[in-house]
Every structure is written in C-alpha cells, then in structure tokens.
Amino acid sequence: MNGAESLLTTLVNNGVEICFTNPGTSEMHFVAALDEVDGMRCVLCLFEGVLSGAADGYARMSGKPAATLLHLGPGLGNAVANLHNARRAQVPLINIVGDHASYHLKLDAPLTADIEGIAGPVSHWYRSSEDAARIADDALEAVQATAGGRTATLVLPADVSWSDNPHGARDKTEPPVPSQVPAAAIAEAADLLSGAQNPAILVGGAFVDRGLSELLSRIANTCGARLFVDTFPARVERGAGSAVMERLPYLAEMAIDALKDIDALLTVGCAAPVSFFAYPGVPGEIAPEAAAHRQLGMPGDDLATAVAALADAMDAHATDASLYELERAALPEGELDAMTAAAVISHYLPERSIVVDEGATSSFGCFPLTATAPAHDWLNLTGGSIGWGLPAAVGAALACPERKVICLEGDGSAMYTIQSLWTMARENLDVCVVLFNNRKYSILELEFARTGARGGVPGPKAASMLDISAPAMDFAAMAQGMGVQASIAEDLDAFAAQFAAATAERGPRLIDCRVPTLLS
Amino acid sequence: MNGAESLLTTLVNNGVEICFTNPGTSEMHFVAALDEVDGMRCVLCLFEGVLSGAADGYARMSGKPAATLLHLGPGLGNAVANLHNARRAQVPLINIVGDHASYHLKLDAPLTADIEGIAGPVSHWYRSSEDAARIADDALEAVQATAGGRTATLVLPADVSWSDNPHGARDKTEPPVPSQVPAAAIAEAADLLSGAQNPAILVGGAFVDRGLSELLSRIANTCGARLFVDTFPARVERGAGSAVMERLPYLAEMAIDALKDIDALLTVGCAAPVSFFAYPGVPGEIAPEAAAHRQLGMPGDDLATAVAALADAMDAHATDASLYELERAALPEGELDAMTAAAVISHYLPERSIVVDEGATSSFGCFPLTATAPAHDWLNLTGGSIGWGLPAAVGAALACPERKVICLEGDGSAMYTIQSLWTMARENLDVCVVLFNNRKYSILELEFARTGARGGVPGPKAASMLDISAPAMDFAAMAQGMGVQASIAEDLDAFAAQFAAATAERGPRLIDCRVPTLLS
C-alpha cells in the first residue's frame, strides 16, 4: 500500500472514523485512497474553518478524535480560529495537512509556507512525515497524542503520500490510560472544603457530565458549599434530573459579585476563573483574593475517579444531590425578542437534544430557561473566537445522528463560517439553526460601554463598526442558496410555529429570527 | 491623546488611509479613536479573510499599504490565507492585531493565543507594542517596514490602546528609497541576452506595468528574445497598446514545452519558474537545465530604472516594441460555456477596468481573449490559496472607485470568502462578479488525473470530494441575501445581456453563470 493508504488504514484501525475534508492537489493521493480503504467517512466542507469546528463538535459529542484534511499552510491557516476553540475545549483532534513533495519545497512554489509555524500555536503535537515507510508509525503516534483532549498535526508531503510503504499499516493500539489525580490533591481538596465557612465548587473544563455534577452536588450539600458551573465548559449535560448549579456569569463585574462572599474555591476540571477581557479598573481574577483556591484535575485527568474519591473523603455519597425537576417553560405571549424566543425554545426543546450556543447576547436567556427542560447537552464557545457554532453543529449532528441539534447562532457570528449550511444540507443533518438576526454586533455595543472608551458612547464612525444592518442580511435566502430549508420569523407566533415544526421534523432547517437587540 | 489615537494619527500622517476592520472587545479603544482622528476610512468586513484579501487588492491598485484591524490571535488566524497570497504578491500591508491588556495575558483568558507564532509565517516585520509612549514610533516603523511590498504586523495590547501617550503622534516621514539593481547585474543580463542563440525574457512579480513590458519588448526585439509574462504576477497592465507577451502556461508540462528550446532565460522581477505542484515524474523546474539563468530585480528593487538601464546597455530604445492593437472579440454564438462566456467578457470589457481573476479552469479562456481588448489591469491569485478573488475585488474597487472591477470567480473559490459580497453592497462598490458555477472543484479533477493517483481516475468516494453539485448552490440567492443585485444566466443570450447591463451600470452585481465544467 502507498503512504496515504497506510495512513488511512492506521487511523481507521485506531478509532478515527471520520475526516472533514477540503483537499487540494497535494492531497489527491489521500483522496484516491478513500476508495481503497474501508471505514473512513469523509465529509466535504467548503472552507477549512468549517472542518476544524466540525471536528471539535464531533469530538465533544463522541469523545473520539476526528481528522481534518487540509491543503498546505494556507488551508491550515483557515482552520486556526476553530482549532484555537478546540484547544480550549480540550478535544482530541488530528489535522492531516498535505504539503508539497519534500523535494519540491526548495523551489518555493506559490503555495509553499511555514506549516510548522502556523501549526505551533494550535497543536500539542506536530510532525512532518519524512518517509512513507514511517507514515503508519507517525499516524499511530498522532492518534495517541490526542489522548486527554489534545490536537495533533501531521504533515503529509505528497511524495510520502504516493510512495509505497512496505510495512503496511499499524493495527489497533490501546490509547494511553488517563492520568490520575494524586491522592494528596484529593485530600487537600477535602480539607479546603471542610475547613471553610463559605466554600464554593466551580466545575468546568471539557465535559461536565451528569454523574460528575450529581456527585459534586452531594459533596456541596455535605459541606454547605455553593455549586457553580463555569461560564463556558465545552459540554454540559443538564436539564431535568441533573444537578442544580449556578452558572458563573459572563460579565466579570457580575461574576465577582457572585463569588464575593466565598472564602474557599475548589475548581474541578478548570482553573480559577478570570475575566474574559481586561477592563480599566476591573480585576482580572474573579474569586476574592483572600479566598483559598485549589484545582482538582488538570486537562486529561480522570475526573470521575477523582471526584468519587473526593466524595469518599467527604463521606458525601449518602447526601442527597439537588436535582432539577422537569418543568417546561410556558409558551410566552407578546413580542418576539431574545427572551420570548428563549421561552419558545425551552418549551419545545426535544429530549436528548444538543444545544450549540453561539447566540451571544441573544441566547443569554436560553441557558437559565432550559435548566428544567428535558435532559439535553449544551455546548459552549470555549475559546471566544466566533464562527464556531454552525461548524460545531455539523460535527455534533454527525456524532449523534439520532439526536436533534439546536444551534443558537448570532447573525454576526454566523457570517464567519456560513458555508457550514451547505454541509448540513449535503449530509442531511438534523440541525435546526435559530439565527438571531438583530443586525448588530450587539455584544460589542455592550463591550464598548464596559471598556469605557469615549465615555462608553460610540461616535458615529465607531457605531458604524458595530452595526451590520446595512445592507440587512436575509439568512433565509442565504440558507436556501446553500440547499437548507429556511424561513423568516418576524413575530412570536411565527417563530413558535416554525420552531415547533423544526423540532417535529428531521433534517436541516434555518429560522431567520428577527429580534431586536437585547440592549436597545 | 491615547495610544489608539496616536497610532491612528501616525498611520494617517504616513499615508495609510484605509483600514479594513473586524474588531472585538480588545479593539474598542481603537474603534473609539476613529471618531477622534480624521483621515482614516474604515471598511467593516464580516470575516478576517475578507480584510486581508481586500488589503491586498487595495495595495495592488493603489501602491499604498492598507491596514487591517484584527481581533487577537484567532482573528489573525482567519486572515492568514490571504496574507499568504499578499506576501506572494509583494504588497505593502499593515496588520493591527488587538490583544489583551499586557497584565491580563498571564491569566490565560479564553482568547489568549500565541499571536507572534501565528504572525510569523505571514509577516516580514513583527512587534507587540509595549508602551503607549512608544506606539507612535512603533506605528511609524511598521509603515516603513512595508516598503518594497512587505507585511508588518503590529500588536496593540488593550492597555497600550487606552493609555495616554504624552508624545502624541509622529509626523510624515519619507519612506525608504527603493533599492537599486547593481550595475553588474544589468551588465550580466545584457551579456546573457546578447550571447544566447535562443534567449527568453520572463517578467513577473509584483507589477508588470505598461512601461516595463514595452521596454522589455524593445529589448526582446533587439536581441531576438521571446518575451513571456509569468503565469500569475500580482498585477499586469495589458490590452490594446500594451506589449505582446506570451503567458507562461499554468500546467508544468505545457510550460516546459514552451521553454524547451531556449538556451538563456532572463527573469525580470521574479525567480526562475517552477511547477505549481510536484507530480510524479515531472520536473519541478520549468526552464531547461542547460539554459543559463539570471534574475534582474529582487523584491522591492526599482525595476523600472533597472530595465531602462538594460535597454541602454542593449541599445534597445530605438527598436520598436510589439504592441497589441485594439480588437474586440466578436460576440459568440452557441452554448454558454467558459469559452463563449470569455468572448462575451472580452467583447464588453470596459476600458480601464480591473479584472480580478480567480476563475480557475473557467476563466482560463479569458486571459488570451482579452489581450486585444481595451487597456485594463489583470490581477492574479499569487499564492494559490483560493478565497482571494472576492476580497481582492473589494480592495481594488476601493482603491480605484472610478474604474469598473470585473471579478472572475469560481464557485468553489467563492465559498471561502463569500462574506465579501456584503461589504461590496455596504460600500456600494462598482464590482461585477462573474460567478462561474460549474458545480465542481473542476481544477481538482484535472489535478487528480495529473498526479496519477489511482491511475488518474477517481473512485466514487474520491469523486464525491471533488463534486459540489449536491446540493446545488444558488449564488444569486446568496448574493441577494447579502444585499447584492444578482441574476442567473443559464444560456449565452442571458449571460451576454446581463454582462452588458452590468458593464453599463455602476454598483455591485453578481451573475451566477451556469457553465459546464471545461473538462467534461
């Protein structure tokens, strides 16, 4: 077999079953190998930011690495923003970056670029494969390097791809065992919580699953701690039957206020919380300086075992957890806005749905309103780089084809990776995009005021940089242009009817939801 | 004034008059400063790949650097692909990348990334400004660093932006003088051409202007050299009245054949030609190994003076140049395809129009057919990273508001930066996009065959990776969704009527031109 076939076979043998692709000439032997090797599903996307965001969404819901296939340095460059988000989400991910044949690089042909330089900031592991005879080993090492939620970037020169590999492929190799939290750290965490007057637990990181948060609720109830969930964990299992958790507010001022009375903070799976941005005169660290802090679990650690051990140490297993009971939000009346739309979404939210949240100011209301909705998963934008939501919805839907994906999306955010809609149609994914079309970078109006620039009031030129109303965008037209069924909702009845219909049917659909900005 | 105002004032004082922006929270003081400082036009784009491509197009047509305003590492990441193309185009360009306040970086907030790492592969000059008191000096140095067609990346931490700069701004400073080609190199070039039996001159690089190519034609006619223009110079002045030049073919096999009989090659403003990609068994270097080669002019050199000196040395000023006479292509008859569409475009091409060519297989026919059209400029994709055409058209139209821009665009290429259409509408730019909608990555079908993968014939899975017909894309709907007037042309009469109308009117317009793939 040639290098490409050896690579593909090794990936498939080691549990990599899906590849998001946007190939070019240097990847043609990889593409050809798809017909020679069974077991790799290939999903074509029209832009590389879709690939990397989709791989992230897929990994969050499957726990498994997806591969991306990228075209030299510039193709990797286009993937960087969502690779940044994926890195912050601690997902396993493998980039396959095609490159010129090794002997061609010295000629500095037009597409030659410093791939290693571009890969560095978004890769935990990097290698440019030097020899077809080594490609299977490189591929296996790349898969293993993704353990614990890391990104591996493997460069595949065209001649490595097309040359023969006499060693064939590598068989399945067990992945590395997750690292264990040291017993001393568990004892320190128990001491911290037991010795405090007003302790708090903040859980975050890659995956706040139902079992983890229920155990943390028992622990919190045992020691009288407040239980918070971080603002933007990668994935949270929540809704009816899940543990009651306060969400740490996004706004630093509000988050500081929420934690102001604590004297001890245990963070589980995440670092101590910090302000998303710096603002003149606002502290960057959210917890009070005087509060003692310990972190339980570094990225890649076995959190479930650690939290169970903490529950043992605190004798918390017999304490009741505080759980949400099922209570669907009532159907609202009145005008269509971000809050009434949130109530509609909460009212109709299908059981086991996956909510991908990149709605910014327009979806702030959806999170609290869905706390008592049927059980569901909630995926957050982890790295702050917008243009993640639509691609992540693609990946989540491919990981869980039997579950409905609800993508809460802002108009500004959507436009970074709007090409995702085409892949939704091509793969007939069960995604309903609620496109909050408020015709502003509304969050930037808020942020402008918070930074205190120009006394918090934008002048006319600044205001025009936050305003995307001219020309007004018709997302239904764009979606239809990419083969996605779409409708416009200009009032609450229309939105409720369209969302209800979307949840009752399968397949991709976009609702262009015309809401006023939350801040106006 | 604060750091942002000092930066903006210094840029304006030194000839940077336009900034393509996609700001976030860390850039709010820069945005606020736009209302305090006169002279900077700000153009909002919905995705950073549009910004960098627009800055490239602007610089090609104006000769002046544009600034981009980018949001931290991920925003810069989104700009990388078109910065790669801009680097290959040798255009001056300044990236302003907002960053967290310097004291906030240690907290590793979600958007924190290795900006320097991402910038490195696409920047000739890089600095993260450390102090508001130094920002004007940094800005001036950045502008100076763009001389000769280079990219400068200046990181603006939020606290540098909002802090007071007691020194104010820097006044206008003369840019560096272009470097001169050494007299010895000119003498060697003259010797090379004079001493050869079958010499050729190949001109390329940043800007093949009319004066340059006319002089080269005189030189070629003096010594019996063939005169070629490189496949993808950044900008070529051409059409009626310009010098006759053979275009070096894109396909390596054809390019090798075109040069096979030469015994000497003088390249002017560009390196010796190489194959775009490597193919098994095909040489990477285009010129015969036995042909002597010299290069006249490194990036940033004063080419006009060097070529005039060469003409002196060869006593070529009195020799006639070979010039194209005006001859408009006849209006074609028959089916709508890439060749008949090219004839229509050539027939109606407005004088002084700017053609931005990212049509790949579908626009191959346009270049030869427009050789005798009225004088116009032709901009090429220099770095091979598709998704450049629509943004470059934005920038070219802003640089030359009195000239018609014709953007020849492939369907696959268009989808990387389709958001450009919104900025065309917002700024009411005089751009006609001819969208060749053949529903394939047609060039990859060709490349698949050339690489010899799987005997040159894609299997079903490979074929599906090259096929973007399902779902079929309606670019007219997408354009209208972004506020651009659009129409669909399904036959030749419709296309001719629509293109004629587009050239007779002003303002943005897209023609969704339904052509069969050239290769089917």
Side-chain angles (χ1 to χ4, degrees), chain B residues 180-193:
Chain B
Q180 295 297 323
V181 175
I186 291 163
E188 285 169 359
D191 287 348
L192 178 79
L193 293 176

PDB file of all heavy atoms in Angstrom, chain B residues 180-193:
ATOM      1  N   GLN B 180      18.351  49.740  -5.554  1.00  0.00           N
ATOM      2  CA  GLN B 180      18.694  49.741  -6.978  1.00  0.00           C
ATOM      3  C   GLN B 180      19.383  48.432  -7.351  1.00  0.00           C
ATOM      4  O   GLN B 180      20.177  47.890  -6.576  1.00  0.00           O
ATOM      5  CB  GLN B 180      19.622  50.923  -7.302  1.00  0.00           C
ATOM      6  CG  GLN B 180      18.962  52.282  -7.095  1.00  0.00           C
ATOM      7  CD  GLN B 180      17.774  52.519  -8.021  1.00  0.00           C
ATOM      8  OE1 GLN B 180      17.781  52.106  -9.178  1.00  0.00           O
ATOM      9  NE2 GLN B 180      16.726  53.158  -7.499  1.00  0.00           N
ATOM     10  N   VAL B 181      19.056  47.948  -8.543  1.00  0.00           N
ATOM     11  CA  VAL B 181      19.743  46.761  -9.055  1.00  0.00           C
ATOM     12  C   VAL B 181      21.192  47.141  -9.359  1.00  0.00           C
ATOM     13  O   VAL B 181      21.431  48.159 -10.025  1.00  0.00           O
ATOM     14  CB  VAL B 181      19.042  46.239 -10.327  1.00  0.00           C
ATOM     15  CG1 VAL B 181      19.819  45.088 -10.947  1.00  0.00           C
ATOM     16  CG2 VAL B 181      17.606  45.822 -10.004  1.00  0.00           C
ATOM     17  N   PRO B 182      22.160  46.359  -8.903  1.00  0.00           N
ATOM     18  CA  PRO B 182      23.567  46.723  -9.145  1.00  0.00           C
ATOM     19  C   PRO B 182      23.890  46.747 -10.644  1.00  0.00           C
ATOM     20  O   PRO B 182      23.341  45.960 -11.425  1.00  0.00           O
ATOM     21  CB  PRO B 182      24.352  45.601  -8.462  1.00  0.00           C
ATOM     22  CG  PRO B 182      23.387  44.916  -7.557  1.00  0.00           C
ATOM     23  CD  PRO B 182      22.026  45.129  -8.121  1.00  0.00           C
ATOM     24  N   ALA B 183      24.795  47.654 -10.996  1.00  0.00           N
ATOM     25  CA  ALA B 183      25.186  47.786 -12.402  1.00  0.00           C
ATOM     26  C   ALA B 183      25.734  46.467 -12.947  1.00  0.00           C
ATOM     27  O   ALA B 183      25.532  46.124 -14.123  1.00  0.00           O
ATOM     28  CB  ALA B 183      26.223  48.895 -12.538  1.00  0.00           C
ATOM     29  N   ALA B 184      26.422  45.721 -12.099  1.00  0.00           N
ATOM     30  CA  ALA B 184      26.990  44.451 -12.548  1.00  0.00           C
ATOM     31  C   ALA B 184      25.885  43.487 -12.982  1.00  0.00           C
ATOM     32  O   ALA B 184      26.035  42.745 -13.965  1.00  0.00           O
ATOM     33  CB  ALA B 184      27.824  43.824 -11.424  1.00  0.00           C
ATOM     34  N   ALA B 185      24.773  43.495 -12.266  1.00  0.00           N
ATOM     35  CA  ALA B 185      23.670  42.595 -12.613  1.00  0.00           C
ATOM     36  C   ALA B 185      23.068  42.990 -13.958  1.00  0.00           C
ATOM     37  O   ALA B 185      22.660  42.129 -14.756  1.00  0.00           O
ATOM     38  CB  ALA B 185      22.612  42.615 -11.520  1.00  0.00           C
ATOM     39  N   ILE B 186      23.021  44.287 -14.210  1.00  0.00           N
ATOM     40  CA  ILE B 186      22.486  44.749 -15.501  1.00  0.00           C
ATOM     41  C   ILE B 186      23.436  44.341 -16.634  1.00  0.00           C
ATOM     42  O   ILE B 186      22.978  43.863 -17.688  1.00  0.00           O
ATOM     43  CB  ILE B 186      22.260  46.271 -15.446  1.00  0.00           C
ATOM     44  CG1 ILE B 186      21.085  46.543 -14.478  1.00  0.00           C
ATOM     45  CG2 ILE B 186      21.974  46.834 -16.834  1.00  0.00           C
ATOM     46  CD1 ILE B 186      20.984  47.944 -13.987  1.00  0.00           C
ATOM     47  N   ALA B 187      24.704  44.490 -16.391  1.00  0.00           N
ATOM     48  CA  ALA B 187      25.680  44.086 -17.408  1.00  0.00           C
ATOM     49  C   ALA B 187      25.597  42.573 -17.662  1.00  0.00           C
ATOM     50  O   ALA B 187      25.665  42.130 -18.828  1.00  0.00           O
ATOM     51  CB  ALA B 187      27.084  44.465 -16.950  1.00  0.00           C
ATOM     52  N   GLU B 188      25.451  41.802 -16.611  1.00  0.00           N
ATOM     53  CA  GLU B 188      25.340  40.348 -16.774  1.00  0.00           C
ATOM     54  C   GLU B 188      24.080  39.970 -17.560  1.00  0.00           C
ATOM     55  O   GLU B 188      24.104  39.057 -18.396  1.00  0.00           O
ATOM     56  CB  GLU B 188      25.311  39.668 -15.399  1.00  0.00           C
ATOM     57  CG  GLU B 188      26.679  39.636 -14.724  1.00  0.00           C
ATOM     58  CD  GLU B 188      26.592  39.194 -13.265  1.00  0.00           C
ATOM     59  OE1 GLU B 188      25.471  38.931 -12.791  1.00  0.00           O
ATOM     60  OE2 GLU B 188      27.646  39.126 -12.625  1.00  0.00           O
ATOM     61  N   ALA B 189      23.004  40.698 -17.288  1.00  0.00           N
ATOM     62  CA  ALA B 189      21.757  40.422 -18.015  1.00  0.00           C
ATOM     63  C   ALA B 189      21.940  40.724 -19.502  1.00  0.00           C
ATOM     64  O   ALA B 189      21.496  39.956 -20.370  1.00  0.00           O
ATOM     65  CB  ALA B 189      20.615  41.247 -17.414  1.00  0.00           C
ATOM     66  N   ALA B 190      22.596  41.842 -19.776  1.00  0.00           N
ATOM     67  CA  ALA B 190      22.831  42.212 -21.177  1.00  0.00           C
ATOM     68  C   ALA B 190      23.718  41.174 -21.861  1.00  0.00           C
ATOM     69  O   ALA B 190      23.456  40.765 -23.005  1.00  0.00           O
ATOM     70  CB  ALA B 190      23.471  43.602 -21.244  1.00  0.00           C
ATOM     71  N   ASP B 191      24.731  40.739 -21.152  1.00  0.00           N
ATOM     72  CA  ASP B 191      25.620  39.704 -21.712  1.00  0.00           C
ATOM     73  C   ASP B 191      24.851  38.416 -21.973  1.00  0.00           C
ATOM     74  O   ASP B 191      25.043  37.754 -23.008  1.00  0.00           O
ATOM     75  CB  ASP B 191      26.760  39.405 -20.726  1.00  0.00           C
ATOM     76  CG  ASP B 191      27.776  40.549 -20.690  1.00  0.00           C
ATOM     77  OD1 ASP B 191      27.697  41.435 -21.576  1.00  0.00           O
ATOM     78  OD2 ASP B 191      28.609  40.556 -19.770  1.00  0.00           O
ATOM     79  N   LEU B 192      24.000  38.043 -21.019  1.00  0.00           N
ATOM     80  CA  LEU B 192      23.230  36.807 -21.169  1.00  0.00           C
ATOM     81  C   LEU B 192      22.387  36.845 -22.432  1.00  0.00           C
ATOM     82  O   LEU B 192      22.404  35.911 -23.253  1.00  0.00           O
ATOM     83  CB  LEU B 192      22.323  36.612 -19.941  1.00  0.00           C
ATOM     84  CG  LEU B 192      21.422  35.392 -19.979  1.00  0.00           C
ATOM     85  CD1 LEU B 192      22.220  34.137 -19.616  1.00  0.00           C
ATOM     86  CD2 LEU B 192      20.239  35.548 -19.029  1.00  0.00           C
ATOM     87  N   LEU B 193      21.648  37.939 -22.611  1.00  0.00           N
ATOM     88  CA  LEU B 193      20.749  38.032 -23.763  1.00  0.00           C
ATOM     89  C   LEU B 193      21.537  38.137 -25.066  1.00  0.00           C
ATOM     90  O   LEU B 193      21.169  37.523 -26.072  1.00  0.00           O
ATOM     91  CB  LEU B 193      19.825  39.241 -23.607  1.00  0.00           C
ATOM     92  CG  LEU B 193      18.811  39.165 -22.455  1.00  0.00           C
ATOM     93  CD1 LEU B 193      18.027  40.479 -22.349  1.00  0.00           C
ATOM     94  CD2 LEU B 193      17.839  37.993 -22.655  1.00  0.00           C
TER      95      LEU B 193
END
